[in-house]
Amino acid sequence: MTAELVRGQNHPLSQVRLEVRVSAGKPIVAGATLSDEQGRVRGVEWVAHPGAPTLPGLEVSRQAAADHRLAFDLDALSAAVHRVSVLLALPSGVGGPVRFGSVAAPFVAVTGLDGSEVASYTVTGLDAESAVVALEIYRRQDAWKVRAVGQGYAGGLAELLTDQGLPEAQQLAGSINEAVARGMARSVAAPPSRTPDADRSRQAATSATGGDQPYAAPPQGTSGNVSPPQSPYDVSGVQGATAPQSDYPVGPTQADPSAATQASAAGEGGPVNYTHPGRQNAAPPPPPPSAPATPPGQPAVPVAGDATGWSMEERLYNQVWGMFEDLARTAAAYRSAVDFAESRLEHELDKVLSDPRSRIGGQGDAAREAAQAKHARLVDQARAALDRDLGQLRAEADVVEPALPAAFARWDNPAWHGYRVPMEVPMAVRLGDLRLPESDGLSIPMLVRLPLERGLWIDSGRAGLSDSLADSDELRRLAMDTAVSHAGRLLAVYPPGEFTVHVIDPAGSAALSLAPLVRSGVLGGAPAVGAAGVADVLARLTQRVDLVQMAVRGGVADSLPPDLDTAEQLLIVNDFPHGFDDRAVTQLRYLADEGPAVGVHLMMVADREDAEAYGPLLDPLWRSLLRLTPVPDDHLADPWVGHAWTYEPGLVPPGSQVLQQVLARVAEARRSWNR
């Protein structure tokens, strides 16, 4: 039975391997500090935070999120640690809430690895505080207990860490905020919920026993010098083995308690249900008539649109995001299982070497061979589980990809050859594909919601690229080709007259790449060149933002000037900061910050090193934009686990005329609409 704690109340813990689950409704930072017997944090190495998420026996989330899972192995903590404090804080400098009094009260639950709650606490009574110690787990007479604390700090993380005796509190708080800002800038935004009464996921059950799954591995960073926990595969001696759980991921939606209960029950001898807590359908659509019946105990035949939603477009959108989440969690489980196997091998080898008797004769060699064989078996089982999950996702991708509408499809999809100008704005647009090293050729469409909530930065520089054979000039050309591809797709998915594109090309260096947009006549005007052209375009768009903001705030949106273009606006800026003076740079920053809310969007094609002269002045600009690359690069993160995903830009196939054909139809529809 769950103990519902109030502030100051404690509860004994009967398990040493635990999770602390946090749900806050808004993105928050979760971390933990280790304290000695006097309650003092001895140094920054005793603090787990997004910039350093792993300590021996402890792992926290790598980025800010509305929901967190913090993993604990209390036996792996140093003997000098007597208290672990769970910290929550609002991220600073990212435009979100600045005090807990303006958000829902955070809910914190201590659970076992099977998801069963041991104790919970709702952190109430907060107002101006921006950081809080929610719980503390502490030793008492060789046993562990949890206490509800709820101590808030209006001074944020710096004040909280100072109160815990950390001398470097200010510096560490600054580095944590910087790490969170970087993580939020590189994270693909999770899809918002559109139906309040239903989850956004499909049923993805698979029939397998709990003994061969890698989903119950210990947290990364567990010390190899402690007794290893029970292997998730060795269940011969475990009674009532519970359903395996994924590695300690970060999710954007609160876990469904019924899913954990269902999985727990399945572990009692029956098949395990691997449905993600946030991905479950009330009534998924049946397989098509041509699909063969699914044999009992086998995975269901994949069906396009097998997700909740009011329309086929919304169901496909939710299904793609469900596949994205599935692949993230499957890879996390595999990595966690491999880490567990490595930790166990290290422990067993240390045990062999620490016994002098095993160094004589063949006893030591036999023990080492047995440990290595067990390690290989665990890794093989983890790989088999990964391959099974990848096979199911690959089969689903094979039926989903051909069914995607044009806005979600690759340029080589037949949907573009039968393209017709739409009459309404789609939910999202595809900007490329995402894949992981373990995905073995499987990629997930990168769908971004419309209208765009943040600008785009097509990085034309070599700095930060994981691997690029292109020279500087080639990268700049590829970056502009990528920008034109994205702009063409955005023009194609909006109804006639509802999306206008402007281009700033101060030196005229992108004329070849811009040819499809210029020749088709879909631009709002000729590309602006020179400093005068830059100033003119920025002045007009800045004025538009000011007028719309004043009209909306004053409640007189119908009194805008009749000649004002009310369509969504996209400004493509090439070769920044060439042609920009200080005033133009300030206007550009203003458009990046204020424009998206009133329909003015920015697409920068730039090398950050070219703007080094501005120093940290432009750091907020770069962070406000979603960075994309013209070549594959692993710089984007998912919002659940924080994997580094390789982004592949959605370019038009070489030699294809599909972009020109689509833009010609867009231009024709605009001419007809303007008559």
Side-chain angles (χ1 to χ4, degrees), residues 616-671:
L617 176 68
L618 291 181
D619 286 351
L621 171 65
W622 303 118
R623 282 200 298 264
S624 69
L625 304 174
L626 176 61
R627 177 176 175 256
L628 303 177
T629 53
V631 294
D633 186 62
D634 57 349
H635 66 280
L636 291 175
D638 62 81
W640 301 284
V641 185
H643 290 316
W645 292 72
T646 297
Y647 166 77
E648 296 177 337
L651 296 174
V652 178
S656 173
Q657 297 296 312
V658 63
L659 178 59
Q660 289 84 342
Q661 295 168 3
V662 168
L663 291 177
R665 294 177 188 175
V666 170
E668 181 182 355
R670 287 189 169 193
R671 288 191 293 269

Side-chain angles (χ1 to χ4, degrees), residues 18 53 152 154 231 265 589:
L18 303 163
S231 165
R589 288 187 56 189

Side-chain angles (χ1 to χ4, degrees), residues 548-571:
V548 175
Q549 280 187 338
M550 287 188 292
V552 171
R553 291 170 182 170
V556 289
D558 55 349
S559 64
L560 288 168
D563 59 342
L564 183 74
D565 184 4
T566 57
E568 297 279 316
Q569 310 285 312
L570 175 68
L571 174 60

Side-chain angles (χ1 to χ4, degrees), residues 388-626:
R388 181 203 61 218
D389 292 343
L390 288 177
Q392 184 175 345
L393 284 170
R394 196 172 289 109
E396 186 172 10
D398 289 343
V399 298
V400 169
E401 188 71 45
L404 295 176
F408 299 176
R410 294 191 183 100
W411 282 114
D412 57 0
N413 191 299
W416 286 109
H417 296 285
Y419 167 77
R420 293 184 179 181
V421 179
M423 290 296 104
E424 59 182 24
V425 182
M427 289 184 60
V429 67
R430 185 173 187 161
L431 295 182
D433 294 275
L434 298 168
R435 57 180 170 82
L436 288 172
E438 296 90 350
S439 59
D440 192 22
L442 174 66
S443 60
I444 303 296
M446 179 180 169
L447 302 182
V448 177
R449 286 296 298 267
L450 293 178
L452 297 174
E453 297 179 355
R454 59 193 296 197
L456 304 176
W457 167 28
I458 315 300
D459 191 352
S460 60
R462 296 177 61 89
L465 292 180
S466 57
D467 183 22
S468 175
L469 300 179
D471 60 26
S472 178
D473 292 338
E474 179 69 7
L475 274 176
R476 292 178 187 273
R477 184 191 65 78
L478 287 174
M480 199 61 205
D481 288 347
T482 302
V484 170
S485 174
H486 293 333
R489 183 180 288 265
L490 287 166
L491 283 163
V493 302
Y494 271 83
E498 294 193 18
F499 197 82
T500 302
V501 177
H502 309 270
V503 177
I504 290 178
D505 185 20
S509 59
L512 185 61
S513 296
L514 289 169
L517 298 177
V518 175
R519 292 172 183 170
S520 61
V522 295
L523 292 178
V529 296
V534 171
D536 178 61
V537 173
L538 291 176
R540 286 190 283 113
L541 290 178
T542 301
Q543 183 185 41
R544 183 191 184 281
V545 171
D546 289 339
L547 289 173
V548 175
Q549 280 187 338
M550 287 188 292
V552 171
R553 291 170 182 170
V556 289
D558 55 349
S559 64
L560 288 168
D563 59 342
L564 183 74
D565 184 4
T566 57
E568 297 279 316
Q569 310 285 312
L570 175 68
L571 174 60
I572 302 176
V573 178
N574 182 46
D575 210 13
F576 176 82
H578 181 78
F580 282 72
D581 56 19
D582 290 345
R583 177 180 174 82
V585 170
T586 301
Q587 289 175 317
L588 193 69
R589 288 187 56 189
Y590 176 72
L591 292 178
D593 292 339
E594 304 294 335
V598 291
V600 177
H601 311 285
L602 190 61
M603 184 184 292
M604 298 273 291
V605 182
D607 180 356
R608 187 169 182 173
E609 291 186 351
D610 292 343
E612 281 184 334
Y614 289 95
L617 176 68
L618 291 181
D619 286 351
L621 171 65
W622 303 118
R623 282 200 298 264
S624 69
L625 304 174
L626 176 61

Side-chain angles (χ1 to χ4, degrees), residues 203-375:
Q203 189 101 10
T206 178
S207 175
T209 59
D212 65 348
Q213 306 305 321
Y215 289 73
Q220 298 178 10
T222 300
S223 171
N225 298 321
V226 299
S227 298
Q230 177 70 35
S231 165
Y233 308 105
D234 185 11
V235 298
S236 57
V238 180
Q239 300 298 322
T242 55
Q245 302 293 317
S246 68
D247 183 31
Y248 311 101
V250 180
T253 54
Q254 185 173 358
D256 182 358
S258 65
T261 304
Q262 185 182 35
S264 231
E268 298 173 0
V272 177
N273 183 354
Y274 285 95
T275 305
H276 289 307
R279 298 193 63 211
Q280 203 165 26
N281 271 346
S290 58
T294 303
Q298 296 296 321
V301 176
V303 180
D306 186 9
T308 56
W310 294 105
S311 64
M312 188 60 175
E313 179 192 59
E314 185 176 2
R315 291 197 295 272
L316 286 168
Y317 172 81
N318 289 331
Q319 187 172 14
V320 167
W321 268 92
M323 294 165 61
F324 187 14
E325 182 181 356
D326 275 352
L327 183 54
R329 297 190 188 278
T330 293
Y334 171 72
R335 294 178 185 182
S336 181
V338 171
D339 286 344
F340 173 79
E342 296 286 349
S343 175
R344 179 161 189 149
L345 174 63
E346 181 181 351
H347 169 80
E348 293 183 353
L349 292 179
D350 286 346
K351 185 177 179 181
V352 171
L353 294 174
S354 65
D355 187 355
R357 293 172 299 178
S358 64
R359 302 174 190 170
I360 303 174
Q363 184 179 357
D365 293 338
R368 278 189 289 271
E369 290 176 2
Q372 290 167 350
K374 185 179 294 183
H375 170 268

